[in-house]
Amino acid sequence: PTKVAIGVKGAEETALQAVTACREANSEWYACYIVGAEKADIVAVAPYIEAISPESVLFFTTKDADVLTAAEGNIFATLKDAGYTRTLGVYSTKNDHAACGVMGYAMGANTGDPGSAYTLRNKTIINLQSEPLTAAQVNAIEGNNGNVQVNRGVYFDLFEPGLTAAGRYFDDIINLDMLVNGIKRNVMDTLQLWPKIPQTEPGVTALVGAINDPLEDAVTTGYIAPGIWRGGPFVSLSKGDALPTGYLVMTEPLIDQSDADRAARKAPKIYIAITPAGAIESVAISLNVSI
């Protein structure tokens, strides 16, 4: 990132009011961290971040002991039950702002370069010390979609599992947000720069071309890859159909467009299917020895 925005919370403001004011003042920021936030602040801000546009994400740090026992009402369980896909929490007793390090890694690794798609799991976060937790405590945190840095196999200090409160992998969230933003930007550029996009097949082809570019970018970064459509029937796709490029853009025929839509100068509906490349984060190995 080339910019960092720092907002100031007024003495009489709540955390929600401060974040809302920051968004109204500037819509360019994506990731958000609230210094000194209490549990109530996070619970109040999370639904706002979930709903705002442009899309954003909220990072937070907690050292609440009740997350270690999965006690009812702990912050991770509360946010998990609410199903928030855009809030990611980190447990740390060693760094009051542990989630800032995670946010910094997530934003810094997001270069858009070839092969730059990443996961948060199994990364070492700078200045984030591993927590001396039992397996049961780690399971309690991760069972409620919380995150923590732990030591694995003596040698490795690793962040895991890289989930948002709803159990979605953060890399899926940011990569999809980038793709959606790229599609919107390219389509708007096309609408702005062309003298006129005719309501003809060549005009629709121009819009499809604008959509294809960010899809190709997603292939280049490694977010999208050739694969099999595993969803249900979708326009001309059926479950099991191959997507050789990792994506497919489909449009309704202009001949089927209603008179009202044509009069309103609307494009025919455009549908996009993608097959994400996914990620491998664990390995099972069977070693057999014959003596």
Side-chain angles (χ1 to χ4, degrees):
T2 57
K3 295 180 182 179
V4 174
I6 300 175
V8 178
K9 177 178 172 294
E12 303 301 321
E13 279 187 311
T14 65
L16 176 57
Q17 289 170 333
V19 172
T20 302
C22 286
R23 172 41 56 96
E24 291 175 349
N26 183 345
S27 64
E28 291 184 354
W29 54 267
Y30 178 71
C32 171
Y33 182 86
I34 306 167
V35 177
E38 302 291 339
K39 175 182 175 180
D41 298 323
I42 300 304
V43 172
V45 174
Y48 174 74
I49 293 293
E50 195 77 11
I52 58 175
S53 181
E55 290 78 8
S56 299
V57 289
L58 172 66
F59 288 77
F60 74 92
T61 307
T62 182
K63 56 183 176 183
D64 294 350
D66 57 358
V67 305
L68 301 180
T69 59
E72 184 177 354
N74 77 78
I75 183 65
F76 290 147
T78 298
L79 298 173
K80 176 185 176 182
D81 291 344
Y84 296 133
T85 62
R86 296 184 169 278
T87 297
L88 185 150
V90 180
Y91 173 78
S92 177
T93 60
K94 297 178 178 296
N95 189 314
D96 290 340
H97 307 297
C100 275
V102 180
M103 184 174 75
Y105 179 91
M107 298 302 103
N110 185 38
T111 63
D113 293 336
S116 61
Y118 65 91
T119 66
L120 287 179
R121 189 180 188 118
N122 298 331
K123 304 304 186 293
T124 297
I125 306 300
I126 301 300
N127 285 335
L128 180 56
Q129 294 176 272
S130 293
E131 294 290 325
L133 303 175
T134 66
Q137 290 172 327
V138 173
N139 290 339
I141 291 172
E142 297 184 2
N144 280 314
N145 300 331
N147 298 272
V148 65
Q149 183 148 308
V150 295
N151 183 269
R152 296 290 188 188
V154 181
Y155 301 104
F156 302 101
D157 293 308
L158 304 173
F159 180 77
E160 60 183 60
L163 293 175
T164 64
R168 291 277 305 278
Y169 286 104
F170 174 77
D171 55 280
D172 283 339
I173 300 295
I174 191 171
N175 277 298
L176 186 57
D177 285 347
M178 287 176 62
L179 177 58
V180 170
N181 182 67
I183 290 171
K184 289 179 178 179
R185 185 181 64 246
N186 272 28
V187 170
M188 284 302 301
D189 282 347
T190 303
L191 291 171
Q192 179 187 22
L193 296 175
W194 279 49
K196 181 180 78 168
I197 299 177
Q199 216 163 6
T200 62
E201 292 299 341
V204 175
T205 299
L207 293 176
V208 171
I211 293 170
N212 282 338
D213 287 344
L215 288 167
E216 275 298 317
D217 290 342
V219 173
T220 299
T221 62
Y223 171 50
I224 293 175
I228 302 298
W229 180 251
R230 302 182 188 279
F234 180 54
V235 194
S236 62
L237 279 178
S238 299
K239 187 174 182 179
D241 286 351
L243 269 66
T245 61
Y247 62 88
L248 180 64
V249 182
M250 300 163 283
T251 64
E252 291 185 346
L254 269 172
I255 195 172
D256 294 336
Q257 190 175 37
S258 69
D259 291 341
D261 282 352
R262 184 169 180 81
R265 296 189 168 185
K266 294 181 180 179
K269 289 184 179 179
I270 299 175
Y271 305 90
I272 306 170
I274 65 171
T275 49
I280 295 173
E281 295 184 336
S282 63
V283 182
I285 301 173
S286 177
L287 176 62
N288 296 289
V289 180
S290 175
I291 300 176

